[in-house]
Amino acid sequence: MPLRLSSHTFTSHAVEAEVEYRLLLPDDHREGERRLPLVLHFHGAMSSSASLELALPLYREAFDAEEFPRAVVACPSTPTQGGFYLDQEDGPAWEAMVGTELPAYLEETFGTFDRVALLGASMGGYGALKQAFADPERFTAVAALSPAVFPGESPADVPARNIPSVLGELHRAMAPGGDARTYARNSVHGRARTRAELIRSSGLSVLIDCGAADEFLLHEGAAYLHGVLTELDIEHTFRLVEGAGHVGPAAERRTLEAIRFLGRALMSR
């Protein structure tokens, strides 16, 4: 059965702007149908909600093979500079918008979501993991592809070679002025350490997937995060794909596997 894609906007109070989002639904979905799971699909840097359109064939493949459930899939457009899935100090709250405000808005149409999962790539992988670790009891699963995480837990610990261009902008945005406490609050590692006991008890399913030849060296950050989660005894699946880069021929297959990972978690609860 096909899936249908549509484009919408809503007025966000968290960012004080109209936010575009794309929505993916089963083709036979009828208004008033309730208790579907929600998947929040977070795009990467310099992208938009159009990334859900690119992923549509992969969701269809998993759905047609009964490896992904009837679900609402939503992808909001978020900026890179000035965004980064961060709540800006005295500015737009992009983390609150994507993780709290948009789901609440969608519940006005679809009713309470009985399960919520997250999928993100690159900058979106950072945003997805950060959301999941902040409130693990709220989420069923999170899948992060080539997440923008760094091999260090304070601003000074991250080698310069790991923070080129846009990654450097994210690194600075996580802690304006270089404050270590603010950095920890905005880092995936910091949230994992702070919420470790709750993550362990929540049953959250976690996938971290990265190419071993990532052009931006994100595999080093992913491996570091794998070490932190292992140290904290947080159950997770870690995949380091030999020969794979940040994008390229393996990217679609890896995204499909991430969708299947979420599908298994959602259908088993």
Side-chain angles (χ1 to χ4, degrees):
M1 183 177 295
L3 301 173
R4 70 173 184 263
L5 185 74
S6 55
S7 182
H8 311 268
T9 63
F10 85 106
T11 302
S12 167
H13 299 292
V15 301
E16 298 184 344
E18 284 291 308
V19 174
E20 178 197 36
Y21 67 95
R22 281 175 168 80
L23 203 62
L24 190 60
L25 291 169
D27 195 49
D28 66 346
H29 178 268
R30 295 292 177 263
E31 187 173 349
E33 184 175 351
R34 292 290 188 263
R35 306 298 291 178
L36 293 175
L38 171 67
V39 175
L40 295 171
H41 182 115
F42 292 170
H43 63 75
M46 308 301 182
S47 187
S48 70
S49 66
S51 69
L52 186 57
E53 187 170 354
L54 296 175
L56 175 58
L58 307 176
Y59 279 101
R60 279 180 172 159
E61 182 174 341
F63 184 75
D64 289 345
E66 299 183 350
E67 297 172 318
F68 188 78
R70 298 176 59 81
V72 177
V73 183
C75 179
S77 288
T78 63
T80 301
Q81 290 84 359
F84 288 121
Y85 298 106
L86 287 165
D87 287 348
Q88 309 290 330
E89 187 174 350
D90 300 321
W94 290 101
E95 180 177 2
M97 186 280 288
V98 298
T100 303
E101 190 179 35
L102 178 61
Y105 174 81
L106 293 174
E107 284 187 338
E108 294 176 12
T109 299
F110 298 102
T112 302
F113 297 111
D114 57 356
R115 290 149 290 161
V116 184
L118 303 136
L119 185 151
S122 193
M123 180 182 84
Y126 160 73
L129 288 168
K130 193 162 60 110
Q131 287 273 353
F133 289 172
D135 194 2
E137 293 181 313
R138 186 174 156 229
F139 300 106
T140 299
V142 57
L145 296 155
S146 304
V149 295
F150 304 115
E153 297 184 52
S154 73
D157 289 340
V158 180
R161 73 196 198 102
N162 293 98
I163 47 175
S165 64
V166 172
L167 288 173
E169 294 178 29
L170 168 59
H171 182 251
R172 290 187 292 274
M174 288 167 63
D179 179 70
R181 289 186 179 181
T182 303
Y183 191 87
R185 283 199 305 271
N186 283 322
S187 78
V188 174
H189 315 92
R191 293 196 180 183
R193 291 195 182 281
T194 300
R195 310 288 278 175
E197 184 175 349
L198 195 56
I199 296 169
R200 286 192 295 267
S201 65
S202 69
L204 176 71
S205 296
V206 180
L207 168 66
I208 300 165
D209 175 297
C210 197
D214 191 282
E215 297 89 334
F216 304 105
L217 305 182
L218 291 176
H219 55 289
E220 295 181 2
Y224 185 94
L225 177 59
H226 167 55
V228 169
L229 298 183
T230 301
E231 173 197 336
L232 296 172
D233 197 27
I234 293 173
E235 187 174 347
H236 64 288
T237 299
F238 176 59
R239 296 176 185 161
L240 197 60
V241 183
E242 289 300 323
H246 197 65
V247 294
E252 281 197 0
R253 190 53 41 179
R254 290 165 54 207
T255 302
L256 176 60
E257 289 304 317
I259 293 169
R260 287 170 170 160
F261 176 88
L262 295 187
R264 288 192 294 273
L266 290 169
M267 291 189 293
S268 67
R269 299 280 178 96

